[in-house]
Amino acid sequence: MRVSRLYAPTLRETPAEAEIPSHQLMLRAGMIRKAAGGIYSYLPLALRILKKIEAIVREEMNEIDAQELLMPIIQPAEIWQETGRWDVYGDEMFRLCDRHKRNFCLGPTHEEMITTLVRGDVRSYRQLPLTLYQIQNKYRDEIRPRFGLMRGREFIMKDAYSFDRDEAGLTANYNKMYTAYTNVFTRCGLNFRPVEADSGAIGGSGSHEFMVIAESGEASIVYCPACDYGANVEKAELHTIVPQQEEMLPLDIIDTPKMKTIEAISAYLNIAPQKTIKAMAYQNENGLVIALVRGDHEVNEIKLINALGCIDLTLANEEAIAEAMQSAAGFIGPIGLQEVMIVADSTVMEMYNAVCGANLPDKHYIHVNPSRDFKPNKVIDIRLIQENDPCPHCGHPVKMARGIEVGQVFKLHTKYSQALQATYLDEKGKETPMVMGCYGIGVSRTMAAAIEQHNDEHGIIWPVPIAPYHTVIIPINSKDEAQMQLAETVCKALNQENVEAILDDRNERAGVKFKDADLIGYPLKIVIGPKTLQEQVFEVKVRRTGEVIFLSLENYVSEIQNLLKSL
RNA sequence: CGGGGCGUGGCUCAGCUUGGUAGAGCACCUGGCUUGGGACCAGGGGGUCGCAGGUUCAAAUCCUGCCGCUCCGACCA
């Protein structure tokens, strides 16, 4: 390939819309262009990268006996109505209508599709286990598409689905996938960490997310430096904190004018925030809910949703609070509340002589002893983990990091097979629902995540296995025939030995070619200039380190192959 | 959906307050010169100033509505 013919329009300046490195650099390197919010064209360089990632994914999937298939993007409403997700998915689903007014959607995921496919053709335990996967576009009408490929409305995903006879089979398949995912992301050159995850709207239980560690990541994770524990903060469990026992003092009520925040009240009373109880008012489809956590803790809304078994949860507005409790935000408390659901974090129930809102304007209770003074409807872990909280496995203080979710594995169990009657006959002739798992990799997101981890002020630095080309060959002066001739010879020789080389034959000054090469991020640059011809040596520059290596005109092919392997 | 910001040539932006013949840099085309880290000289093409209404002798500029993009929040395999 010749750069003069390559469709990779590079930009010297950063388009204003791009916020994070991967988005900025892919636009500047001429790899993607936006068609609409969250919808992009992949230009030739980006497509080569995607194909490399896909090839790695395919190899690892095939290795564990998953079989590739391809399912439709357009899916009929009926199968989604069967599982109830036609309504649950809401505005995030792209919906469309055909000329007969039949409803369809653009597939946001394929559980319904694969399950209805398999239920039609798998009848016997002899046909199980079965794992199928595809690499296909997905469509989600995100509330807020952003960060280029990181959160698009159209994106490429590898999705795999396993069907087993029983839980033991599912666990075996899940573990194989977990290993395969570890291999995929390792081979892509990513610094990642698998973490325990909430299984979310897709349902089921037992799930890990594969997080690429990056500042621009939208997910917060915790991990333990002492053991191998890691979790999405949404999921991270916490043990109850049991403080020293104290003598319970009599409940009292005091004036606390305008003291609406934990910070204000603890300063006013000169006590630690740990001695206060924070009451948060939420609203869900069943009404008002008061969530209680210790003053220095935060509510984990995912845990709260799971504890309540509800779908929707938002902070209650002032009117709702006033109506239900004759109180205002800042002075809410659990004592004396009637007909309002109260969920207390387990740590709250262990507190002594604490402070909480009195449900009266400008009043708080002191010497509150939860076990004595009120009775929550539910006591459960609902707090958000914080840096230095004890690891739930070993107790060592945990660390926090930002992560980009590039993959997730789920145990679905029989959620979809039951809803869609995907059953098989077991050895005894008994009809049994298949036990399912599902496993996703965001392929286009992985490309972006790789850039987030591998870039510098000059541009992208591709890991060799997913680089669009292994090396660019730069003749310093394209009008010098000797240089060009040698460059072409070298280019041909390398490509013949499976070193992907591209020749920058443009009639540009050397600086322009170097800048573009650095921006696009080829792992190596081979420079052919006057020195090369005189001294019969190549100059090879390593993109990542800036290191310059001189190779002789003899056996340079194997030298470059070795160099690429070492990167 | 709530709150900010922005829409002027392919890109980055100025001009708008105070209405009066649409600008710069980069990119592009032609010629020259140049070739080891985004050169230089000369010439040239390209914009109904997001759309629709309104005010005015006159609107990129003022007013109204709509659309799009973007940031923050809520949401999210």
Side-chain angles (χ1 to χ4, degrees), chain A residues 166-207:
Chain A
D166 50 29
E167 284 290 327
L170 170 59
T171 298
N173 256 323
Y174 185 91
N175 293 341
K176 275 158 74 178
M177 277 289 174
Y178 186 102
T179 306
Y181 274 39
T182 302
N183 293 343
V184 166
F185 298 122
T186 303
R187 289 180 62 186
C188 288
L190 295 167
N191 172 21
F192 68 99
R193 190 177 265 272
V195 300
E196 293 178 11
D198 186 72
S199 46
I202 201 160
S205 76
S207 176

Side-chain angles (χ1 to χ4, degrees), chain A residues 49-103:
Chain A
I49 298 152
L50 288 171
K51 298 252 177 230
K52 296 226 173 158
I53 297 171
E54 289 177 5
I56 291 171
V57 169
R58 283 194 173 94
E59 281 177 32
E60 295 296 335
M61 287 298 106
N62 297 343
E63 182 67 29
I64 57 169
D65 298 323
Q67 300 172 63
E68 185 168 7
L69 81 174
L70 192 59
M71 292 182 281
I73 287 171
I74 296 183
Q75 304 185 16
E78 288 77 29
I79 59 176
W80 288 83
Q81 283 155 352
E82 271 191 72
T83 57
R85 288 211 293 179
W86 184 256
D87 298 318
V88 172
Y89 235 100
D91 290 336
E92 206 177 305
M93 187 184 258
F94 278 108
R95 293 158 206 262
L96 62 159
C97 231
D98 72 5
R99 64 173 70 196
H100 306 294
K101 300 276 173 279
R102 281 192 288 250
N103 289 313

Side-chain angles (χ1 to χ4, degrees), chain A residues 148-167:
Chain A
L149 298 187
M150 209 62 94
R151 178 164 296 275
R153 296 195 292 172
E154 177 184 83
F155 57 98
I156 302 171
M157 179 169 161
K158 186 285 303 183
D159 47 322
Y161 306 88
S162 66
F163 298 85
D164 276 284
R165 301 177 193 178
D166 50 29
E167 284 290 327

Side-chain angles (χ1 to χ4, degrees), chain A residues 40-55:
Chain A
Y40 291 85
S41 293
Y42 304 108
L43 276 48
L45 287 174
L47 187 60
R48 286 183 70 94
I49 298 152
L50 288 171
K51 298 252 177 230
K52 296 226 173 158
I53 297 171
E54 289 177 5

Side-chain angles (χ1 to χ4, degrees), chain A residues 201-268:
Chain A
I202 201 160
S205 76
S207 176
H208 285 84
E209 288 167 335
F210 287 76
M211 295 289 191
V212 167
I213 309 302
E215 250 174 62
S216 57
E218 294 183 83
S220 289
I221 63 168
V222 291
Y223 63 95
C224 176
C227 70
D228 65 352
Y229 179 78
N232 191 312
V233 292
E234 294 173 350
K235 170 76 177 176
E237 322 128 44
L238 283 158
H239 295 311
T240 308
I241 299 170
V242 183
Q244 190 110 54
Q245 209 158 336
E246 293 176 24
E247 189 189 337
M248 293 187 192
L249 302 172
L251 189 66
D252 201 358
I253 192 163
I254 57 163
D255 284 328
T256 50
K258 299 206 175 80
M259 297 294 146
K260 297 185 72 160
T261 63
I262 294 293
E263 207 179 19
I265 193 78
S266 39
Y268 180 72

Side-chain angles (χ1 to χ4, degrees), chain A residues 401-520:
Chain A
R402 309 285 301 169
I404 300 164
E405 182 196 339
V406 289
Q408 185 162 17
V409 290
F410 289 96
K411 288 183 181 175
L412 295 174
H413 305 285
T414 56
K415 176 174 166 145
Y416 292 92
S417 50
Q418 274 179 334
L420 295 163
Q421 285 108 49
T423 59
Y424 70 97
L425 292 181
D426 69 12
E427 297 93 320
K428 292 170 187 147
K430 188 182 162 220
E431 195 162 333
T432 313
M434 300 176 202
V435 182
M436 295 174 56
C438 85
Y439 317 90
I441 290 179
V443 174
S444 42
R445 183 184 277 183
T446 298
M447 173 164 65
I451 298 173
E452 289 298 319
Q453 270 189 351
H454 301 289
N455 70 81
D456 64 13
E457 70 271 29
H458 302 295
I460 304 169
I461 307 170
W462 288 110
V464 174
I466 60 174
Y469 289 90
H470 295 139
T471 181
V472 60
I473 298 165
I474 300 179
I476 291 297
N477 185 345
S478 308
K479 283 193 173 161
D480 182 317
E481 273 189 38
Q483 285 181 28
M484 276 301 285
Q485 219 166 41
L486 179 57
E488 285 188 34
T489 307
V490 169
C491 189
K492 211 170 182 176
L494 288 172
N495 278 304
Q496 266 171 6
E497 297 301 321
N498 297 319
V499 175
E500 297 169 12
I502 184 168
L503 172 61
D504 196 344
D505 60 332
R506 293 175 300 169
N507 183 22
E508 290 282 359
R509 298 168 66 86
V512 173
K513 300 186 193 182
F514 289 140
K515 290 286 184 191
D516 272 350
D518 289 348
L519 178 59
I520 290 167

Side-chain angles (χ1 to χ4, degrees), chain A residues 107-124:
Chain A
T109 177
H110 281 73
E111 282 85 13
E112 279 78 359
M113 202 71 229
I114 193 96
T115 309
T116 52
L117 176 78
V118 167
R119 79 173 170 195
D121 295 302
V122 175
R123 284 286 125 82
S124 158

